[in-house]
Amino acid sequence: MTTVATMAGERAGTAKPATMAQALGRALRDSMAEDPTVHVLGEDVGTLGGVFRVTDGLAKEFGDDRCTDTPLAEAGILGAAVGMAMYGLRPVVEMQFDAFAYPAFEQLISHVAKMRNRTRGAMPLPITVRVPYGGGIGGVEHHSDSSEAYYMATPGLHVVMPATVEDAYGLLRESIASDDPVVFLEPKRLYWSKAAWSPDAPAAVEPIGRAVVRRSGRSATLITYGPSLPVCMEAAEAATAEGWDLEVVDLRSLVPFDDETVAASVRRTGRAVVVHESSGFGGPGGEIAARVTERCFHHLEAPVLRVAGFDIPYPPPMQERHHLPGVDRVLDAVARLQWEADN
Amino acid sequence: MTVQELPGAAAYRPTPPPAWKPLTDPAPLLPDPEPYRVLGTDAAADVDPELLLRLYGELVRGRRYNTQATALTKQGRLAVYPSSTGQEACEIAAALVLEERDWLFPSYRDTLAAVARGLDPVEALTLLRGDRHTGYDPREHRIAPLCTPLATQLPHAVGLAHAARLKGDDVVALAMVGDGGTSEGDFHEALNFAAVWRAPVVFLVQNNGFAISVPLAKQTAAPSLAHKAVGYGMPGRLVDGNDAAAVHQVLGEAVARARRGGGPTLVEAVTYRMEAHTNADDATRYRVDSEVEAWRAHDPIRLLERELTGRGLLDEDGIGTVREAAERMAAGLREQMNADPVLDPMDLFAHVYEEQTEQLREQAARLRVELDAEHGESGAEEGR
C-alpha cells in the first residue's frame, strides 16, 4: 500500500509547500482545462473566487460561462446542475458552507442520487457537490456542521473526504471525472494546512473507495477521516510515550467503504477506535464499529470504541473546543482498550 | 444636549441616496386580465385547419388513454393513475408545440403529454404500474422522467436549457407543473434562475383548481399564477387551458421567443381536473357536482369538435374515424398491460453506481442465494 509519506519522499526536492485550498483550486483548474464539459457553479465562485478562495481565478481563466456566479439558492444551483448534467455537462457545485446545503437536500436525495437508478443506467449524473464542512474555524452557527451521516445514508451518492493536500487534489480530480455523483466534503479547518506538493507533477493517489494506512502500528487501530486525521496522527505520536504503537487508517471515503483495509488492520492490531467529529449517535462511527465487529470479532481484544462529537447541535465558537474530539479524548479511548485489565 | 444644539448641526444636510431605477419595466411582463381564447372567436379562422384536426385527434386519443388507464387501476394492472381528463388540451399542446430536439419535463400527471410526444403508451406507464421507475431512455425521447416530487423538475429544465444554449444548440425545454407546485421553493428558484440566465425554457402551469383537495384560493393570494412571472422578470401569459388552439398558440409563441434568445415565459393554463386527484382519492369531499358540471360544458374535446364541425372541417364520419383509432390504441394498451412484465430482481443492484460497491456485490450475492432457494422450492413443488 502506498502511503503519503512514501510518495512525499519519492518526490522530495520538486515540491513546495501548498495549502489544501490551493490544491483543490488546482484540481478544479486542471479538470476544466482538460475537459470542456466541466463547469463550476455556485454563489460567489466567480468574481470573488469563493469565500475560501478555492475557485480563485477560474472565472478569469475560463469565463463566466464555465465558472458561474449563481443566484443565492442552493436547490436551484443543484437542480440546475442536474439539468446541465442531463445535457452532457459535468457540473461542479459549491455549497459554500455545510449547513447551507440543506435547502438542496431534496434535489440531492430525490434526483441526484437516484437518476441513474430511476432510468436504469440510461442517465447517470456526473455531478460533484463540494461542501466546505466541519468545525474548528470559529464559525458562528450553521457554519460548522458535520453532515456526512446524512449523505452516507443515501444510496447512489459517493461520499468523499480528503485529509491531506495530496488527496485534496487527487480525490477531487477523480470525483469530477466520476460518472457518479459525489458529495465532496472539504474539511474547512484543513484548508490552510500545508504540505510539500508539486502542482506540476502531482503524485498518484489511491482511487476513491480505498482507505490508506497513514501510520503503521501494532497495538491498536485508529479509524478516521477528514478533519480528524491530524488529531489521530498527533495522538498516535503522543501514545508512544505510553508504550502504545498505534496504526492510523484514513478512510478517505465513507461511500464506497473499504471494509478490506479496515478489517485487515484491526485483525493485525486486535483493537480499534473510530474517531470523527460529527455526533456519535446515528453517526458514521456506529456503522463502522458494527462492520469491524462483524468481520473481526474473533480478533478483537476489546469492544470497538467511538470517539465522536457530542450529540448536541454544533456549539457556539467559544465552546467548540469542548465538542471536537482532541488528542486527549482519543488517548483516553486508547487507554480504555485495555479491556481485560479493567473489566 | 440635543442634536440641534450641536455646533455646526444647522449646516448638516443628509446626502441624497443614489438614484434608483427598476431593473426591468414590469408593464410588458403582466398577463392580460382574461385567459386568452381562440375557439369560438374570430381568431379561430386564422388557425391552420390541419393543426386543429391534429389537436382533435390527439385529444380524443388522450381522453381514451385516460379512461383506459383508470380502468386498469380497477383491474389491479396499475398501482395508481392520476387522470388528466379535462386537461388534455394542455397535455397535447405541450407535446405538439415542441420540435424533436426540444425537451419535455413532465410531472406525474403528464403521462399524456409524454405519449403525445411519441413515447410508447406502455413505457409511459411503468412508473405507475410499479415495475420500473422510468421505462424509457430520457435522452432518446428527450422526455425527462415523470417527476413525482412537486416542481423539482423545473430547475432541471432550466439547467438543461442553459447547457444547450452554452453548447450553441437550438433547444428549448418545456416544463410542466400544477397549481400546487407553484407554492414549492423549487418553482421560485427555477423561475429566478431561468430569468437571470435568460434560459430558453417555458414553464406551463396547469391550474386545474385543486392540489389534491386544496383549492387555488388557499394556495395563493396572487391575482393569478401568471402574475408571478413579473416578480422574476419574465412575461406571464394567461390562457384558457381547455382551448387547445389557444394553448398551442400561446406555448408556440413562448417557445419561439425562447428559441430566438428572448428568455423564459410563464404560461398559466386555466383548466379543471374532472376526475379525482388519483383513483385513490374521493373528490366529493372537497368539491360540489355543480362546479364539475359547469366545467363539463367547457370540455376541451367538445370545444374543438364544435369549432371543427361548425366550420365544416369535421363530420360524423370523421369523428367516428378518430374514435376508432383511439379504441384501437386502448385495445393495444389493454392487451400489453395485461401481460405480466418480466423483471430481473438482480436489476435492483445494477444501476445504483456505475460500478457496484463491494457492499452491493455482497448483497446481490445474498439475494441470488435467496432466489435460487425460492426456485428450488417451487421446482420441488412442481415435481410432486
Side-chain angles (χ1 to χ4, degrees):
Chain A
M1 173 111 5
T2 316
T3 67
V4 166
T6 59
M7 289 189 299
E10 284 159 16
R11 298 182 311 104
T14 59
K16 290 175 184 167
T19 65
M20 181 180 277
Q22 286 168 335
L24 290 165
R26 183 66 186 222
L28 290 169
R29 188 212 159 267
D30 289 355
S31 297
M32 292 174 84
E34 272 173 30
D35 181 351
T37 67
V38 175
H39 283 243
V40 169
L41 65 157
E43 165 81 0
D44 300 312
V45 297
T47 307
L48 184 67
V51 294
F52 294 104
R53 303 292 181 269
V54 171
T55 57
D56 197 18
L58 297 179
K60 205 170 176 186
E61 183 170 354
F62 298 101
D64 293 344
D65 284 346
R66 297 279 309 277
C67 179
T68 308
D69 275 331
T70 63
L72 205 174
E74 288 76 10
I77 295 168
L78 189 52
V82 170
M84 291 165 73
M86 288 171 86
Y87 204 77
L89 299 185
R90 208 169 266 279
V92 184
V93 161
E94 179 178 301
M95 285 296 169
Q96 198 161 91
F97 280 95
D98 31 56
F100 296 178
Y102 301 151
F105 249 55
E106 186 181 16
Q107 285 294 339
L108 190 72
I109 274 65
S110 294
H111 294 295
V112 175
K114 291 179 181 165
M115 191 66 87
R116 175 189 286 278
N117 191 255
R118 291 167 76 200
T119 61
R120 306 184 69 242
M123 187 166 268
L125 294 181
I127 298 174
T128 303
V129 185
R130 291 181 42 240
V131 187
Y133 104 120
I137 63 159
V140 294
E141 65 173 351
H142 309 300
H143 289 72
S144 301
D145 283 18
S146 297
S147 36
E148 61 267 40
Y150 305 135
Y151 302 119
M152 70 184 277
T154 304
L157 301 176
H158 288 308
V159 185
V160 174
M161 311 83 44
T164 68
V165 173
E166 304 265 358
D167 264 359
Y169 179 85
L171 290 177
L172 185 52
R173 289 298 305 271
E174 285 192 36
S175 298
I176 295 168
S178 168
D179 278 343
D180 284 320
V182 178
V183 177
F184 192 85
L185 299 169
E186 301 174 358
K188 286 193 288 282
R189 66 176 152 131
L190 301 185
Y191 268 147
W192 302 280
S193 64
K194 284 188 178 177
W197 182 71
S198 169
D200 298 320
V205 295
E206 290 290 326
I208 292 172
R210 299 239 190 94
V212 165
V213 176
R214 297 288 183 203
R215 185 188 192 282
S216 297
R218 292 173 291 106
S219 318
T221 302
L222 302 180
I223 304 164
T224 191
Y225 55 86
S228 294
L229 177 66
V231 175
C232 288
M233 294 299 277
E234 197 184 331
E237 287 309 314
T240 56
E242 306 293 325
W244 282 82
D245 179 21
L246 299 179
E247 184 148 305
V248 179
V249 174
D250 176 6
L251 294 173
R252 301 167 75 253
S253 76
L254 286 167
V255 184
F257 187 83
D258 186 351
D259 281 307
E260 208 50 50
T261 301
V262 171
S265 172
V266 177
R267 283 182 193 131
R268 279 196 298 274
T269 62
R271 293 175 168 86
V273 181
V274 189
V275 183
H276 58 65
E277 68 176 50
S278 70
S279 298
F281 189 85
E287 175 66 29
I288 296 165
R291 303 188 79 82
V292 169
T293 306
E294 284 169 4
R295 280 164 183 74
C296 312
F297 184 71
H298 292 294
H299 299 266
L300 286 172
E301 305 287 340
V304 181
L305 299 181
R306 287 171 291 165
V307 176
F310 296 131
D311 300 328
I312 56 172
Y314 197 87
M318 292 175 80
Q319 300 264 45
E320 68 180 345
R321 68 190 175 88
H322 301 300
H323 171 71
L324 295 171
V327 171
D328 288 347
R329 218 170 272 167
V330 176
L331 291 175
D332 279 352
V334 169
R336 279 189 286 137
L337 287 175
Q338 299 176 70
W339 189 252
E340 278 180 326
D342 292 348
N343 296 278
Chain B
M1 202 193 300
T2 65
V3 172
Q4 280 76 18
E5 289 168 310
L6 283 168
Y12 171 73
R13 292 284 181 277
T15 313
W20 180 87
K21 60 182 176 62
L23 285 171
T24 307
D25 176 9
L29 307 179
L30 285 167
D32 290 334
E34 284 290 316
Y36 179 68
R37 294 199 170 94
V38 168
L39 299 178
T41 74
D42 294 342
D46 299 332
V47 185
D48 177 11
E50 268 187 42
L51 173 67
L52 289 178
L53 284 166
R54 176 144 187 242
L55 286 169
Y56 178 74
E58 290 290 342
L59 249 57
V60 171
R61 198 168 85 106
R63 172 72 50 89
R64 189 64 190 90
Y65 188 95
N66 275 328
T67 55
Q68 183 57 61
T70 303
L72 287 165
T73 63
K74 293 178 179 133
Q75 295 154 14
R77 284 292 175 182
L78 269 180
V80 65
Y81 187 72
S83 168
S84 59
T85 289
Q87 302 178 218
E88 291 94 341
C90 305
E91 302 283 318
I92 302 306
L96 297 196
V97 83
L98 295 178
E99 303 284 340
E100 201 180 329
R101 62 189 178 282
D102 296 332
W103 273 75
L104 181 73
F105 285 78
S107 82
Y108 59 90
R109 197 185 296 285
D110 303 321
T111 319
L112 220 60
V115 173
R117 185 160 167 73
L119 194 60
D120 178 86
V122 174
E123 284 185 352
L125 285 175
T126 59
L127 170 75
L128 301 164
R129 171 155 71 171
D131 57 342
R132 282 163 188 162
H133 294 316
T134 303
Y136 55 92
D137 180 346
R139 282 207 182 91
E140 186 189 335
H141 299 275
R142 283 160 300 282
I143 302 172
L146 296 170
C147 189
T148 308
L150 295 188
T152 54
Q153 80 279 24
L154 304 186
H156 305 172
V158 176
L160 182 135
H162 177 64
R165 201 161 65 114
L166 290 180
K167 283 190 169 185
D169 293 346
D170 187 17
V171 166
V172 174
L174 191 156
M176 306 173 78
V177 67
D179 42 306
T182 65
S183 298
E184 294 278 4
D186 282 63
F187 172 84
H188 299 277
E189 298 193 17
L191 265 68
N192 192 43
F193 270 65
V196 170
W197 284 354
R198 284 179 80 82
V201 57
V202 176
F203 301 99
L204 171 60
V205 179
Q206 293 179 73
N207 170 10
N208 68 11
F210 294 88
I212 303 190
S213 69
V214 178
L216 188 70
K218 289 187 179 178
Q219 196 67 243
T220 182
S224 78
L225 298 173
H227 274 84
K228 289 176 184 265
V230 67
Y232 302 103
M234 73 175 77
R237 298 293 309 272
L238 198 53
V239 62
D240 182 339
N242 286 22
D243 181 335
V247 183
H248 190 274
Q249 191 176 322
V250 169
L251 287 180
E253 285 165 10
V255 166
R257 183 172 172 273
R259 208 185 296 285
R260 65 171 181 263
T265 305
L266 172 65
V267 177
E268 175 187 359
V270 184
T271 182
Y272 197 77
R273 161 162 55 76
M274 296 304 289
E275 304 293 333
H277 166 60
T278 69
N279 54 298
D281 168 41
D282 176 9
T284 63
R285 291 177 74 102
Y286 54 84
R287 66 187 191 187
V288 292
D289 285 348
S290 58
E291 183 181 291
V292 183
E293 287 313 309
W295 276 94
R296 206 178 296 284
H298 194 61
D299 181 88
I301 295 178
R302 205 196 286 190
L303 286 183
L304 193 47
E305 213 169 77
R306 204 181 298 156
E307 182 77 42
L308 286 165
T309 51
R311 285 169 56 187
L313 295 166
L314 188 71
D315 57 14
E316 283 303 319
D317 282 354
I319 293 172
T321 307
V322 168
R323 286 186 183 161
E324 276 166 31
E327 279 308 319
R328 279 197 302 278
M329 180 277 303
L333 180 60
R334 243 185 349 257
E335 191 184 336
Q336 285 178 279
M337 291 294 287
N338 278 327
D340 288 319
V342 180
L343 301 175
D344 180 0
M346 300 316 286
D347 264 5
L348 292 173
F349 300 98
H351 306 295
V352 184
Y353 298 101
E354 184 182 24
E355 198 180 319
Q356 279 181 15
T357 61
E358 188 53 41
Q359 292 78 25
L360 284 182
R361 272 195 290 273
E362 283 170 16
Q363 291 164 28
R366 207 178 309 153
L367 180 61
R368 170 53 65 203
V369 170
E370 287 176 19
L371 292 171
D372 288 347
E374 259 177 43
H375 293 147
E377 281 166 24
S378 62
E381 279 167 23
E382 281 161 21
R384 246 177 256 148

